[in-house]
Amino acid sequence: MAAEEAESPARRAKVVDDVDLRLLRALWMDGRARVRELARELALADSAVSVRLRRLRERGVLAGVHADFDPALLGLTTQALVGVRLAPHTSSHVYEGRLRTMRSVLGAVSLVGDYDLEVHLACRDMVDLERAVTELRAAGAETTHTQLIARTVVGLGQALLTEEEPA
C-alpha cells in the first residue's frame, strides 16, 4: 500500500511547493523574465531562484520555456485542427516523425478515441490547407476530419498553477 501511495498523482503533485507554484506562474506570465526579476517578484535571493529553477528542470516539472507567436503575423491566416485516424499499416511513432518535417504543422496530440491524433495546422490560405491535409493523408492517415479555427482562446492554463486543490 505504501508503494502505491508513493506513486499516486496527488503524491507526485507535491513535488512543488507554494513558492515553486509562484515561480511557475511568474514564468507563465513572462517566460523571458531574468532570475533577478523573478527573485524580486518572489522576495527571494537570486541564488534561491536559480536553485529552484534547476530542481524544477531536473524533476521534469519545467520542461522548457517557449516562444509564443501569432501565425497570422507570418502570413499563416488559415488555421485548422485535423483529426487523423492512422492507416492500419502506419505506426504512430513513424507518423509523428513525418509530422516533424511538415511545414504547416504547429503541433499535435496523441488521442484515445475516434482519432489517433489531432494535428494543428497553420496555412497561408485554403489552397495551402488543402495541400497540408493531402500531405497528412499521404503520410499514412486512413481518414482525416478537418475543423477550421475561428479564433484562439488565450490565457488558459494558469489555473493549473493555483494552490487550491480541485473540488
Side-chain angles (χ1 to χ4, degrees):
M1 179 77 172
E4 291 174 16
E5 186 176 316
E7 293 302 316
S8 73
R11 184 97 167 147
R12 283 193 304 261
K14 298 299 179 191
V15 172
V16 297
D17 61 17
D18 293 346
V19 176
D20 290 335
L21 283 173
R22 289 176 35 226
L23 177 57
L24 290 169
R25 237 187 334 271
L27 283 172
W28 182 273
M29 298 306 291
D30 182 4
R32 298 184 319 158
R34 299 188 190 299
V35 169
R36 175 161 289 157
E37 297 164 2
L38 294 167
R40 186 173 33 249
E41 184 174 333
L42 299 174
L44 294 173
D46 293 4
S47 59
V49 170
S50 293
V51 167
R52 284 180 176 274
L53 287 170
R54 180 179 46 78
R55 286 185 184 153
L56 289 169
R57 280 192 293 271
E58 287 171 354
R59 294 178 190 150
V61 175
L62 182 60
V65 180
H66 68 276
D68 216 5
F69 67 95
D70 183 354
L73 295 176
L74 301 176
L76 304 171
T77 56
T78 303
Q79 291 188 52
L81 295 175
V82 182
V84 174
R85 186 173 305 121
L86 296 176
H89 64 277
T90 305
S91 81
S92 58
H93 179 72
V94 169
Y95 194 82
E96 290 166 17
R98 292 174 183 158
L99 290 178
R100 288 182 179 86
T101 67
M102 295 180 192
R103 185 183 54 78
S104 297
V105 174
L106 276 184
V109 293
S110 178
L111 303 173
V112 175
D114 292 336
Y115 295 97
D116 298 304
L117 296 121
E118 185 168 76
V119 180
H120 183 181
L121 299 177
C123 302
R124 291 184 305 276
D125 51 30
M126 293 301 287
V127 171
D128 193 28
L129 175 61
E130 183 178 16
R131 179 211 46 81
V133 172
T134 300
E135 188 176 11
L136 292 175
R137 290 180 184 145
E142 181 175 59
T143 60
T144 59
H145 176 79
T146 303
Q147 299 178 95
L148 291 176
I149 296 175
R151 66 182 174 86
T152 300
V153 180
V154 297
L156 301 177
Q158 295 176 36
L160 291 172
L161 301 174
T162 61
E163 288 109 18
E164 297 100 37
E165 290 292 323

